[in-house]
PDB file of all heavy atoms in Angstrom:
ATOM      1  N   MET A 201     -44.568 -43.254  11.757  1.00 98.00           N
ATOM      2  CA  MET A 201     -43.244 -43.330  12.375  1.00 98.00           C
ATOM      3  C   MET A 201     -42.161 -43.459  11.306  1.00 98.00           C
ATOM      4  O   MET A 201     -41.106 -42.824  11.399  1.00 98.00           O
ATOM      5  CB  MET A 201     -43.167 -44.509  13.336  1.00 98.00           C
ATOM      6  CG  MET A 201     -41.805 -44.658  14.026  1.00 98.00           C
ATOM      7  SD  MET A 201     -41.368 -43.249  15.079  1.00 98.00           S
ATOM      8  CE  MET A 201     -42.321 -43.632  16.548  1.00 98.00           C
ATOM      9  N   PHE A 202     -42.434 -44.259  10.299  1.00 98.00           N
ATOM     10  CA  PHE A 202     -41.458 -44.422   9.226  1.00 98.00           C
ATOM     11  C   PHE A 202     -41.273 -43.115   8.461  1.00 98.00           C
ATOM     12  O   PHE A 202     -40.145 -42.667   8.231  1.00 98.00           O
ATOM     13  CB  PHE A 202     -41.925 -45.522   8.275  1.00 98.00           C
ATOM     14  CG  PHE A 202     -40.975 -45.770   7.131  1.00 98.00           C
ATOM     15  CD1 PHE A 202     -39.861 -46.565   7.304  1.00 98.00           C
ATOM     16  CD2 PHE A 202     -41.190 -45.183   5.891  1.00 98.00           C
ATOM     17  CE1 PHE A 202     -38.966 -46.781   6.264  1.00 98.00           C
ATOM     18  CE2 PHE A 202     -40.311 -45.400   4.838  1.00 98.00           C
ATOM     19  CZ  PHE A 202     -39.199 -46.204   5.021  1.00 98.00           C
ATOM     20  N   ARG A 203     -42.385 -42.487   8.080  1.00 98.00           N
ATOM     21  CA  ARG A 203     -42.299 -41.262   7.280  1.00 98.00           C
ATOM     22  C   ARG A 203     -41.562 -40.155   8.025  1.00 98.00           C
ATOM     23  O   ARG A 203     -40.650 -39.520   7.474  1.00 98.00           O
ATOM     24  CB  ARG A 203     -43.705 -40.783   6.916  1.00 98.00           C
ATOM     25  CG  ARG A 203     -43.665 -39.512   6.076  1.00 98.00           C
ATOM     26  CD  ARG A 203     -44.996 -38.813   5.966  1.00 98.00           C
ATOM     27  NE  ARG A 203     -44.822 -37.542   5.294  1.00 98.00           N
ATOM     28  CZ  ARG A 203     -45.611 -36.491   5.470  1.00 98.00           C
ATOM     29  NH1 ARG A 203     -46.645 -36.553   6.287  1.00 98.00           N
ATOM     30  NH2 ARG A 203     -45.378 -35.358   4.820  1.00 98.00           N
ATOM     31  N   TYR A 204     -41.927 -39.914   9.284  1.00 98.00           N
ATOM     32  CA  TYR A 204     -41.305 -38.803  10.012  1.00 98.00           C
ATOM     33  C   TYR A 204     -39.861 -39.110  10.394  1.00 98.00           C
ATOM     34  O   TYR A 204     -39.051 -38.195  10.544  1.00 98.00           O
ATOM     35  CB  TYR A 204     -42.146 -38.434  11.235  1.00 98.00           C
ATOM     36  CG  TYR A 204     -43.366 -37.622  10.861  1.00 98.00           C
ATOM     37  CD1 TYR A 204     -44.584 -38.243  10.607  1.00 98.00           C
ATOM     38  CD2 TYR A 204     -43.284 -36.242  10.720  1.00 98.00           C
ATOM     39  CE1 TYR A 204     -45.705 -37.503  10.237  1.00 98.00           C
ATOM     40  CE2 TYR A 204     -44.393 -35.493  10.352  1.00 98.00           C
ATOM     41  CZ  TYR A 204     -45.603 -36.125  10.104  1.00 98.00           C
ATOM     42  OH  TYR A 204     -46.703 -35.389   9.724  1.00 98.00           O
ATOM     43  N   THR A 205     -39.532 -40.372  10.541  1.00 98.00           N
ATOM     44  CA  THR A 205     -38.123 -40.712  10.763  1.00 98.00           C
ATOM     45  C   THR A 205     -37.296 -40.323   9.538  1.00 98.00           C
ATOM     46  O   THR A 205     -36.183 -39.804   9.667  1.00 98.00           O
ATOM     47  CB  THR A 205     -37.971 -42.212  11.056  1.00 98.00           C
ATOM     48  OG1 THR A 205     -38.670 -42.529  12.264  1.00 98.00           O
ATOM     49  CG2 THR A 205     -36.507 -42.596  11.222  1.00 98.00           C
ATOM     50  N   PHE A 206     -37.838 -40.555   8.362  1.00 98.00           N
ATOM     51  CA  PHE A 206     -37.119 -40.173   7.147  1.00 98.00           C
ATOM     52  C   PHE A 206     -37.072 -38.654   6.974  1.00 98.00           C
ATOM     53  O   PHE A 206     -36.044 -38.102   6.552  1.00 98.00           O
ATOM     54  CB  PHE A 206     -37.758 -40.839   5.918  1.00 98.00           C
ATOM     55  CG  PHE A 206     -37.082 -42.131   5.540  1.00 98.00           C
ATOM     56  CD1 PHE A 206     -37.148 -43.234   6.387  1.00 98.00           C
ATOM     57  CD2 PHE A 206     -36.348 -42.242   4.374  1.00 98.00           C
ATOM     58  CE1 PHE A 206     -36.505 -44.418   6.064  1.00 98.00           C
ATOM     59  CE2 PHE A 206     -35.695 -43.418   4.040  1.00 98.00           C
ATOM     60  CZ  PHE A 206     -35.776 -44.517   4.885  1.00 98.00           C
ATOM     61  N   ILE A 207     -38.134 -37.979   7.301  1.00 98.00           N
ATOM     62  CA  ILE A 207     -38.123 -36.519   7.203  1.00 98.00           C
ATOM     63  C   ILE A 207     -37.093 -35.934   8.167  1.00 98.00           C
ATOM     64  O   ILE A 207     -36.272 -35.089   7.787  1.00 98.00           O
ATOM     65  CB  ILE A 207     -39.510 -35.935   7.510  1.00 98.00           C
ATOM     66  CG1 ILE A 207     -40.517 -36.295   6.414  1.00 98.00           C
ATOM     67  CG2 ILE A 207     -39.433 -34.407   7.659  1.00 98.00           C
ATOM     68  CD1 ILE A 207     -41.946 -35.883   6.727  1.00 98.00           C
ATOM     69  N   ASN A 208     -37.120 -36.387   9.409  1.00 98.00           N
ATOM     70  CA  ASN A 208     -36.299 -35.791  10.455  1.00 98.00           C
ATOM     71  C   ASN A 208     -34.847 -36.246  10.447  1.00 98.00           C
ATOM     72  O   ASN A 208     -33.963 -35.483  10.848  1.00 98.00           O
ATOM     73  CB  ASN A 208     -36.905 -36.105  11.830  1.00 98.00           C
ATOM     74  CG  ASN A 208     -38.266 -35.457  12.020  1.00 98.00           C
ATOM     75  OD1 ASN A 208     -38.499 -34.341  11.554  1.00 98.00           O
ATOM     76  ND2 ASN A 208     -39.168 -36.145  12.689  1.00 98.00           N
ATOM     77  N   HIS A 209     -34.594 -37.469   9.979  1.00 98.00           N
ATOM     78  CA  HIS A 209     -33.238 -38.007  10.098  1.00 98.00           C
ATOM     79  C   HIS A 209     -32.590 -38.397   8.767  1.00 98.00           C
ATOM     80  O   HIS A 209     -31.413 -38.754   8.743  1.00 98.00           O
ATOM     81  CB  HIS A 209     -33.244 -39.194  11.053  1.00 98.00           C
ATOM     82  CG  HIS A 209     -33.732 -38.832  12.427  1.00 98.00           C
ATOM     83  ND1 HIS A 209     -33.023 -37.986  13.257  1.00 98.00           N
ATOM     84  CD2 HIS A 209     -34.862 -39.156  13.095  1.00 98.00           C
ATOM     85  CE1 HIS A 209     -33.694 -37.816  14.383  1.00 98.00           C
ATOM     86  NE2 HIS A 209     -34.813 -38.507  14.312  1.00 98.00           N
ATOM     87  N   MET A 210     -33.365 -38.301   7.697  1.00 98.00           N
ATOM     88  CA  MET A 210     -32.804 -38.537   6.365  1.00 98.00           C
ATOM     89  C   MET A 210     -33.028 -37.329   5.451  1.00 98.00           C
ATOM     90  O   MET A 210     -32.636 -37.338   4.281  1.00 98.00           O
ATOM     91  CB  MET A 210     -33.418 -39.782   5.745  1.00 98.00           C
ATOM     92  CG  MET A 210     -33.140 -41.071   6.508  1.00 98.00           C
ATOM     93  SD  MET A 210     -31.451 -41.664   6.306  1.00 98.00           S
ATOM     94  CE  MET A 210     -31.649 -42.658   4.815  1.00 98.00           C
ATOM     95  N   CYS A 211     -33.676 -36.298   5.992  1.00 98.00           N
ATOM     96  CA  CYS A 211     -33.910 -35.038   5.266  1.00 98.00           C
ATOM     97  C   CYS A 211     -34.648 -35.233   3.946  1.00 98.00           C
ATOM     98  O   CYS A 211     -34.353 -34.562   2.952  1.00 98.00           O
ATOM     99  CB  CYS A 211     -32.593 -34.311   5.009  1.00 98.00           C
ATOM    100  SG  CYS A 211     -31.783 -33.706   6.506  1.00 98.00           S
ATOM    101  N   THR A 212     -35.575 -36.178   3.916  1.00 98.00           N
ATOM    102  CA  THR A 212     -36.335 -36.391   2.688  1.00 98.00           C
ATOM    103  C   THR A 212     -37.710 -36.947   3.028  1.00 98.00           C
ATOM    104  O   THR A 212     -37.848 -37.767   3.942  1.00 98.00           O
ATOM    105  CB  THR A 212     -35.612 -37.350   1.740  1.00 98.00           C
ATOM    106  OG1 THR A 212     -36.349 -37.474   0.519  1.00 98.00           O
ATOM    107  CG2 THR A 212     -35.434 -38.728   2.348  1.00 98.00           C
ATOM    108  N   ASP A 213     -38.721 -36.485   2.300  1.00 98.00           N
ATOM    109  CA  ASP A 213     -40.063 -37.028   2.461  1.00 98.00           C
ATOM    110  C   ASP A 213     -40.271 -38.127   1.426  1.00 98.00           C
ATOM    111  O   ASP A 213     -39.467 -38.298   0.502  1.00 98.00           O
ATOM    112  CB  ASP A 213     -41.105 -35.926   2.298  1.00 98.00           C
ATOM    113  CG  ASP A 213     -42.423 -36.249   3.006  1.00 98.00           C
ATOM    114  OD1 ASP A 213     -42.630 -37.410   3.388  1.00 98.00           O
ATOM    115  OD2 ASP A 213     -43.247 -35.325   3.160  1.00 98.00           O
ATOM    116  N   LEU A 214     -41.359 -38.845   1.550  1.00 97.00           N
ATOM    117  CA  LEU A 214     -41.576 -40.025   0.715  1.00 97.00           C
ATOM    118  C   LEU A 214     -41.723 -39.696  -0.767  1.00 97.00           C
ATOM    119  O   LEU A 214     -41.340 -40.497  -1.623  1.00 97.00           O
ATOM    120  CB  LEU A 214     -42.799 -40.794   1.212  1.00 97.00           C
ATOM    121  CG  LEU A 214     -42.688 -41.345   2.639  1.00 97.00           C
ATOM    122  CD1 LEU A 214     -43.958 -42.084   3.009  1.00 97.00           C
ATOM    123  CD2 LEU A 214     -41.479 -42.258   2.778  1.00 97.00           C
TER     124      LEU A 214
END
Side-chain angles (χ1 to χ4, degrees):
M201 180 63 80
F202 180 82
R203 180 194 173 207
Y204 282 93
T205 297
F206 265 66
I207 292 174
N208 295 324
H209 301 293
M210 297 286 272
C211 293
T212 183
D213 204 346
L214 298 180

